Amino acid sequence: MFRHTKRLQFEAKPERPDPVFAHKLQELIGGAYGELSVTWQYLFQGWNCRIEGKYKDLIMDTATEEIGHVEMLATMVARLLEGAPATATAEAVKDPVMAAVIGGMDPQQAIVAGGGALPADSNGYPWNGKFIVASGNLLADFRANAAAEAQGRLQTARLYNMTDDPGVKEMLKFNLARDTVHQKQWLRAIEELEADGLETDVAPSALFDEENQEHNHTIWHLSDGPHGPEGGWTRELEYLMEPQPLGGPASAPAPDPALFATYAPATSATAAPEIAEGDVQTFYSERDGRWKNQVEGNKRASSASDTKAEAQREGRRLAKDRGVTHVVRKKDGEIAETHDYS
């Protein structure tokens, strides 16, 4: 149950009408990081929360406050539009640059909303429910919440510097303060989730054994910028300075003829890579159900592992040490990937 109180959470009275700024202020209502977004984000997070108690109460307290923020901003927009479009708009567009860029108020504020706020952003784009994040995982959601409040505060700060109206500035000062609090509370709540043993650093905290062990600790150097490895994250993560593509060509299959998509059938099959003596192969042995590494030309395997990830990691090390190619096969024997370390 929700109960509406007629008084605003904080005053929303401009000193004078300003339809141009009313247009800008729409971003804080219906933008991707506006108050409508965090309102519905927190409401659905609260409704989807499976843990009764402090976390759900915090979410619902904040969600309900955000409804009040939408009301404050909508009231401010309506008051900034007082007298528009007949007189205030004409005054606003006397500056030719402003007139060319924004043309005064958003016409839909008059035509559709009757001189009031819209559920839209500063370009008039309607608010979209796709903006919200409500996954049911509190760690993932709280991180999204902190980011949303950071973006919201950033936009509020920018708008604060776009007006000299004392009344508008006072309301925005309040909004800035609440965005500060909300960022801090979500960050602290993330810490408490870990302290309570509910979540860890990574969400979800599952399937760590199943994920590809070779690729869960590397950052791929894929840009010209050389300074990534200088960061503190290299204490836990390895910077892979010369990563190689692991998949085959990104070719789509032949289309359904009824779709009439242009298609040239392949003229010949792609030849399998040639395996030279001394290269290292990682493969599955049906005989004992283990993954093995064998140097091409040797009669016996160099190592055996219970998992493909362990064998692949050892095969890569062996190939690097020998300066040869590492060939990784699928369970059925087909070549999955090759890496040249010569």
Side-chain angles (χ1 to χ4, degrees), residues 16-26 77 79-85 87-93 102-106 109:
R16 60 192 177 277
D18 185 347
V20 175
F21 195 76
H23 194 167
K24 297 176 182 178
L25 205 57
Q26 282 288 159
V77 166
R79 290 171 174 172
L80 287 167
L81 291 171
E82 183 181 0
T87 58
T89 304
E91 185 67 29
V93 298
I102 202 168
M105 66 183 288
D106 182 342
Q109 289 174 326

Side-chain angles (χ1 to χ4, degrees), residues 52-67:
E52 295 295 335
K54 60 185 179 183
Y55 293 113
K56 185 164 187 171
D57 288 356
L58 174 65
I59 298 168
M60 293 306 298
D61 284 341
T62 313
T64 309
E65 178 183 351
E66 300 293 4
I67 299 174

Side-chain angles (χ1 to χ4, degrees), residues 290-337:
R290 304 189 77 192
W291 287 89
K292 297 183 178 182
N293 287 298
Q294 187 166 336
V295 175
E296 182 68 15
N298 291 358
K299 295 182 178 180
R300 303 184 63 177
S302 302
S303 64
S305 304
D306 292 329
T307 68
K308 181 180 180 180
E310 292 174 0
Q312 193 167 340
R313 191 160 51 243
E314 174 60 23
R316 180 179 60 177
R317 184 198 64 75
L318 183 60
K320 283 183 175 180
D321 289 346
R322 296 173 62 88
V324 296
T325 297
H326 180 204
V327 178
V328 182
R329 295 186 180 275
K330 298 179 183 179
K331 206 167 187 177
D332 61 6
E334 182 183 344
I335 293 178
E337 52 191 91

Side-chain angles (χ1 to χ4, degrees), residues 61-76:
D61 284 341
T62 313
T64 309
E65 178 183 351
E66 300 293 4
I67 299 174
H69 291 183
V70 177
E71 183 179 33
M72 286 164 51
L73 287 162
T75 302
M76 179 63 84

Side-chain angles (χ1 to χ4, degrees), residues 106-315:
D106 182 342
Q108 288 207 349
Q109 289 174 326
I111 299 168
V112 176
L118 296 160
D121 66 13
S122 54
N123 279 329
Y125 185 84
W127 181 82
N128 192 321
K130 283 290 187 181
F131 294 154
I132 74 167
V133 176
S135 69
N137 180 285
L138 292 184
L139 176 58
D141 284 351
F142 288 177
R143 284 178 170 160
N145 295 352
E149 295 287 352
Q151 293 289 348
R153 193 179 192 282
L154 174 62
Q155 293 178 0
T156 302
R158 288 170 173 166
L159 282 163
Y160 181 83
N161 287 322
M162 294 179 187
T163 181
D164 59 1
D165 188 300
V168 176
K169 279 186 172 288
E170 285 304 311
M171 186 198 72
L172 293 180
K173 286 179 184 178
F174 177 81
N175 290 359
L176 287 168
R178 299 311 298 163
D179 288 344
T180 296
V181 171
H182 293 163
Q183 283 187 65
K184 289 181 177 179
Q185 75 182 36
W186 298 128
L187 293 171
R188 300 298 178 271
I190 290 169
E191 294 175 358
E192 192 137 337
L193 283 172
E194 186 171 357
D196 288 343
L198 296 173
E199 295 289 351
T200 59
D201 287 344
V202 179
S205 54
L207 303 178
F208 288 135
D209 292 336
E210 285 79 4
E211 70 184 32
N212 189 312
Q213 301 298 310
E214 184 178 0
H215 300 292
N216 64 3
H217 62 281
T218 55
I219 301 172
W220 286 31
H221 173 64
L222 293 170
S223 74
D224 288 340
H227 301 296
E230 298 170 9
W233 42 83
T234 54
R235 289 193 298 270
E236 296 180 356
L237 303 172
E238 172 191 352
Y239 232 98
L240 193 59
M241 296 306 295
E242 296 183 6
Q244 299 297 319
L246 304 180
S251 302
D256 185 327
L259 297 179
F260 307 108
T262 304
Y263 173 67
T267 57
S268 62
T270 302
E274 183 176 341
I275 301 172
E277 186 167 342
D279 287 347
V280 176
Q281 294 196 63
T282 300
F283 64 95
Y284 181 73
S285 171
E286 292 281 0
R287 187 173 62 182
D288 57 8
R290 304 189 77 192
W291 287 89
K292 297 183 178 182
N293 287 298
Q294 187 166 336
V295 175
E296 182 68 15
N298 291 358
K299 295 182 178 180
R300 303 184 63 177
S302 302
S303 64
S305 304
D306 292 329
T307 68
K308 181 180 180 180
E310 292 174 0
Q312 193 167 340
R313 191 160 51 243
E314 174 60 23

